[in-house]
Amino acid sequence: MCARTSGRTVARPRLRMTRVTRTHGGTMSTSSTSRIEAARGGATRALDDLDLPVMLLHDEAVRSNVRLMADYCAARGVHLAPHAKTSMTAYITHLQLERGAWGLTAATIRQARDLWGLGVRRILIANLVVEERAIAWVAETFLAHASEPSDVLVYVDSVDSLEILSSRLDALQPALRLGVLVELGFTGGRTGARSVHEAVELARRVSESPRLELRGVAGFEGLMPRGQEAVPPAIGTFLDELHALTERCQAENLFERRPVVTAGGSSYFDLVVDAVGPDRFGFPVDTILRSGCYATHDHGVYRETSPFDGRSDQPGGSRFAPALELVASVLSTPEPGLVIAGFGRRDVPTDDRLPVVVGQRHDDGSITPVEGARVVGVNDQHAFVSVAATCALRAGDRISLGVSHPCGAFDRWRSIPVVDARGSLVDVAEPRL
């Protein structure tokens, strides 16, 4: 796959993947697995054979989202290393790599190990690596042999994090140097040097290390405070600083090869490309987005903030589609205006906001809106849904719900049925968390 930028064609290397048998982590019970396998490819809809509540993944929506993001990156001449922590499933990972992803992003060594087990050979660990065991695994897996077609990048944000890596690698004596990205942060944020000056000083230290190679710079704009705005007010300043950091390092010849500039979640990746895309520099760079939640999108935060949804300025243009659906039963209507549904915080994420009622789900798979229905509270396995006093929902009816922040949805299910447009099972997504 190739992307065109500034009149030239940039080759997008395809990564070799090997399907492996899952040997650890959660799995469904034998009875649940049997019901899913019985439903696979059958004439009946998957819901006919599954206990409720159940989280579903809609295959058509996932594929459309993955395709749309890949096409966007190709058109803008940027690379994509989707953040695998969103789903940690082979199902989504394979779709992303088949669409030309540069590699995959991980947040933890455990996630990186699982990606390696799935056959991923280019991994961006978007975090600091400070544990001896973790550094040893990175060195053994990626730095032992120059002939291995693999690559790993990790962050440093302070002299402490640099010295931990250097001292441990001195003890291990790997054949290759470890590629690092100097992370720029912002006041009140997570990790990351708090100023361009600090980050440049750190980059100089990295360039002097015999065990490390400065491969580029990194940042993350997705958690900047936005209040009631669709876009964080300070995001422009932060991305300008990331651009300035790259320029300063290049001017001092601190990069030994084409630098990586990486940022971009699933909300503001368009602004990242506008600020630090390859056409914003007078020298070659590899701009790598790390978006992850786009693959499933959602009915909440990303519906509001994505440039391919709530922030789109193109009426009728291409849009991401929510791919996760929770189906639950109405348990009771104990008083006017209140429905008790059979799901709770054990089944859906509630860290960003409560689930969204999409509508009543009928036996033929169709969904009709339930006017005014709103989830107002959850227990472990029960949800309180406010409805109009005249609402016709009754015990035994089914409702369809969307989520906000899909990472938390994958946390709660060891196996998620993947269904086609008819509702038939076509795959099973198994989060490896």
Side-chain angles (χ1 to χ4, degrees):
M1 182 175 181
C2 296
R4 188 168 297 278
T5 177
S6 304
R8 57 190 170 82
T9 299
V10 179
R12 292 181 177 276
R14 292 192 177 276
L15 298 185
R16 174 170 53 87
M17 290 195 66
T18 305
R19 291 187 181 271
V20 298
T21 302
R22 183 174 181 175
T23 59
H24 69 281
T27 57
M28 293 190 75
S29 67
T30 302
S31 59
S32 296
T33 302
S34 298
R35 285 195 294 273
I36 283 185
E37 289 306 317
R40 186 189 295 273
T44 60
R45 291 180 294 275
L47 279 180
D48 296 337
D49 297 295
L50 299 174
D51 297 326
L52 300 187
V54 65
M55 186 70 73
L56 301 176
L57 256 179
H58 290 271
D59 184 64
E60 186 175 330
V62 174
R63 290 177 182 273
S64 174
N65 295 341
V66 170
R67 180 174 60 251
L68 178 56
M69 189 64 170
D71 290 347
Y72 170 84
C73 290
R76 296 302 301 269
V78 301
H79 299 290
L80 178 63
H83 213 316
K85 72 175 176 62
T86 299
S87 75
M88 285 303 297
T89 66
Y91 160 69
I92 289 179
T93 295
H94 281 275
L95 291 178
Q96 291 167 326
L97 288 170
E98 287 167 3
R99 280 285 172 177
W102 174 91
L104 271 295
T105 297
T108 67
I109 286 294
R110 178 176 177 179
Q111 292 169 8
R113 287 177 186 270
D114 281 337
L115 288 176
W116 183 264
L118 288 174
V120 181
R121 294 298 178 258
R122 185 182 286 131
I123 301 172
L124 195 167
I125 301 175
N127 211 342
L128 306 170
V129 180
V130 297
E131 295 85 10
E132 287 191 5
R133 175 180 168 85
I135 297 168
W137 179 79
V138 168
E140 178 183 352
T141 305
F142 292 95
L143 308 180
H145 306 290
S147 60
E148 282 292 319
S150 61
D151 194 14
V152 66
L153 298 172
V154 306
Y155 286 3
V156 292
D157 77 340
S158 65
V159 173
D160 285 346
S161 62
L162 182 154
E163 290 182 347
I164 288 172
L165 288 175
S166 295
S167 62
R168 185 58 186 157
L169 291 173
D170 277 341
L172 294 170
Q173 296 283 311
L176 305 176
R177 290 183 296 166
L178 174 61
V180 300
L181 306 173
V182 170
E183 183 189 12
L184 181 67
F186 54 88
T187 301
R190 302 187 302 200
T191 54
R194 290 311 198 241
S195 71
V196 173
H197 174 75
E198 291 178 15
V200 172
E201 287 290 334
L202 183 60
R204 292 174 184 144
R205 294 283 295 266
V206 172
S207 69
E208 296 168 356
S209 170
R211 293 296 176 190
L212 306 176
E213 179 189 354
L214 181 64
R215 291 283 300 276
V217 301
F220 181 56
E221 76 298 335
L223 294 179
M224 299 191 77
R226 66 183 179 98
Q228 300 302 311
E229 304 295 326
V231 175
I235 193 171
T237 299
F238 175 70
L239 293 175
D240 286 345
E241 290 176 348
L242 190 63
H243 186 279
L245 172 59
T246 311
E247 294 269 10
R248 290 272 300 275
C249 292
Q250 176 69 14
E252 295 189 24
N253 296 314
L254 301 180
F255 302 124
E256 296 182 26
R257 61 177 102 177
R258 180 195 302 244
V260 166
V261 184
T262 178
S266 291
S267 291
Y268 313 115
F269 58 83
D270 58 323
L271 304 182
V272 170
V273 174
D274 289 344
V276 294
D279 59 349
R280 300 295 295 167
F281 296 93
F283 50 90
V285 304
D286 286 326
T287 301
I288 301 176
L289 301 179
R290 306 193 306 274
S291 316
C293 291
Y294 77 91
T296 61
H297 199 45
D298 70 10
H299 283 86
V301 60
Y302 294 110
R303 168 154 281 182
E304 292 177 358
T305 60
S306 171
F308 284 126
D309 203 339
R311 286 199 302 111
S312 175
D313 58 2
Q314 298 181 7
S318 298
R319 301 283 180 123
F320 289 142
L324 285 163
E325 179 192 7
L326 184 81
V327 182
S329 295
V330 172
L331 301 180
S332 178
T333 57
E335 58 192 66
L338 179 65
V339 164
I340 303 299
F343 73 92
R345 64 173 64 92
R346 302 292 298 272
D347 309 301
V348 289
T350 58
D351 58 306
D352 177 68
R353 65 194 72 180
L354 293 171
V356 175
V357 178
V358 178
Q360 180 178 357
R361 212 179 203 283
H362 302 284
D363 290 342
D364 63 0
S366 63
I367 299 173
T368 56
V370 179
E371 186 176 356
R374 183 169 60 93
V375 180
V376 294
V378 291
N379 297 150
D380 280 355
Q381 312 284 186
H382 295 78
F384 299 78
V385 183
S386 174
V387 296
T390 57
C391 178
L393 285 175
R394 293 293 180 267
D397 289 341
R398 292 174 173 177
I399 56 174
S400 169
L401 301 111
V403 305
S404 184
H405 192 201
C407 297
F410 287 97
D411 287 350
R412 286 161 170 78
W413 296 87
R414 293 190 174 105
S415 296
I416 301 178
V418 182
V419 297
D420 63 15
R422 299 174 302 154
S424 298
L425 189 81
V426 296
D427 207 334
V428 179
E430 294 186 307
R432 301 170 64 99
L433 293 170

